Amino acid sequence: MKLTVVGTGYVGLVSGVCFAELGHEVTGVDKLSDKIDTLNKGEVPIYEPDLHSLMVRNQERGRLRFTTDLRQAVQGADVVIIAVGTPSLPNGEANLSYIQSAAEEIGQALERYTVIVTKSTVPVGTNARVAGWVREHTDVPFDVASVPEFLREGSAVKDTMNPDRIVIGTNSTAAAELLDQLHRPLTGKIIHTDINSAEMIKYASNAFLATKISFINEIANICEKVGANVEEVAIGMGLDQRIGSSFLKAGIGYGGSCFPKDTQALIQIAGNVEYDFKLLQSVVEVNRLQRRNVIDKLHASLGGLRGRTIGIWGLSFKPGTDDVRDAPAFEIIQWLLQEGALVRVYDPIAQNNFRRTFSQLDVVAVRWCDDQWEAADDCDALCLLTEWETFVQADLSRMESIMRGKVLVDGRNAYRIEDVAATQLQYYSVGRAVQGQLNVIAAQ
Ligand code: NAD
């Protein structure tokens, strides 16, 4: 098939590359000419494992090209996929302005029957609006469909090639058949629904995963007080097939470009129909407070933070990606600076992106380090915020010997209690109080 993907970000680029790999002829369109130049040079503007080689291979095969010319890219396409951003508005609602302008431009360009697919995460009712925005600009026949995206950054290629399921929401039999044919090589688990349900499946899935994270984080906070170990609790819970073991890892809460904005958007979607989504509001609140636990643990161990040097290991919202959108690290560093701490930061992949995105942090109190040991050197406390492998495998005795203080705040439960217990580090992890307090107690 001839496919055009509008938006070459994390979702659009990965989808386009994977569809080209399946043998389709794909054109990726973006408004950002710098991004298109980079892609046309065979370079990938984001960090995503396996993406570069797959992209270059399909460019060389002539199946994948990139352009800023939406009109030309849409003419002749069988399927046009919208994968532009839907960031939050100040009230939490999804900003649909990128969707609207993409839909209008597609409408102006259509020359023959085309299936227009929305892959972006959009509130219920948006595809109907997309149809309206396209219709304002054309008399050519078209159908719309919602095919929400479930990939995870850091394993986006693998997830796209091996999805748990594909959801196709459309009211048109012709579009349903075409999209079934397009996705069938990826999985047998294709669910056909009406458009509204497809749109809701995406939000409900992300809200449920966020709920699991906030739930286990609250259990972890209680574990710290009652002397239980949240990791053992999570294993014991997860073996129950009705619960499942995924998304039961306690830590400093979720971040990234999806869960924070999608939970807020669903609260708004509910609010717009006068439904007060109390459970999800609590999930969001718990997540906000969980980040604050890092600061509370620093206070518990160091007292005031003014003039203290705090090392930060990890800036991206999770390992395997350079995406720093709504990364907990930003808020935590801001709080540290507000309290007068000096901060040394290091991330193996996301550092440049973080520094560019949060340029307001380019202040004397922040030192951007060249490696993890420079960030740990002479610190009063070290905080692990992203569990990159290089941090997880770090030599704890080296850490202990180069730090001035001995406080290690592990926001991701990256270290084994037994390994830390063999050092003099004062170790604070999440929900593992009994063992975690050993060295703190010993030091008192
Ligand atoms: P992104 O910000 O990385 O990429 C969006 C791209 O669209 C940008 O490059 C932008 O320049 C381009 N764009 C905007 N308007 C355009 C237009 N009119 N014409 C051409 N290009 C245009 O966003 P993303 O992370 O890829 O997310 C896209 C959508 O997918 C969002 O709705 C998001 O919620 C959803 N989603 C994201 C993920 C993820 O992990 N990132 C996963 C599932 C779903």
Side-chain angles (χ1 to χ4, degrees), residues 87-109:
S88 295
L89 288 167
N91 69 355
E93 227 165 317
N95 177 352
L96 297 180
S97 62
Y98 302 101
I99 297 275
Q100 180 173 357
S101 69
E104 290 181 344
E105 286 176 67
I106 292 165
Q108 287 157 13

Side-chain angles (χ1 to χ4, degrees), residues 43-57:
E43 292 165 19
V44 174
I46 54 172
Y47 176 81
E48 189 57 53
D50 306 325
L51 185 58
H52 181 254
S53 55
L54 215 57
M55 184 184 93
V56 171
R57 182 157 83 208

Side-chain angles (χ1 to χ4, degrees), residues 6-7 9-11 29-32 35 83-86 98 101-102 105 120-121 149 151 153 202 257-258 261 325:
V6 182
Y10 286 85
V11 167
V29 184
D30 209 286
K31 278 205 165 324
L32 302 175
K35 198 178 250 191
V84 301
T86 49
Y98 302 101
S101 69
E105 286 176 67
S120 304
T121 304
E149 180 56 64
L151 64 76
E153 288 176 15
K202 173 64 191 175
S257 67
C258 292
K261 95 172 161 60
R325 290 178 280 186

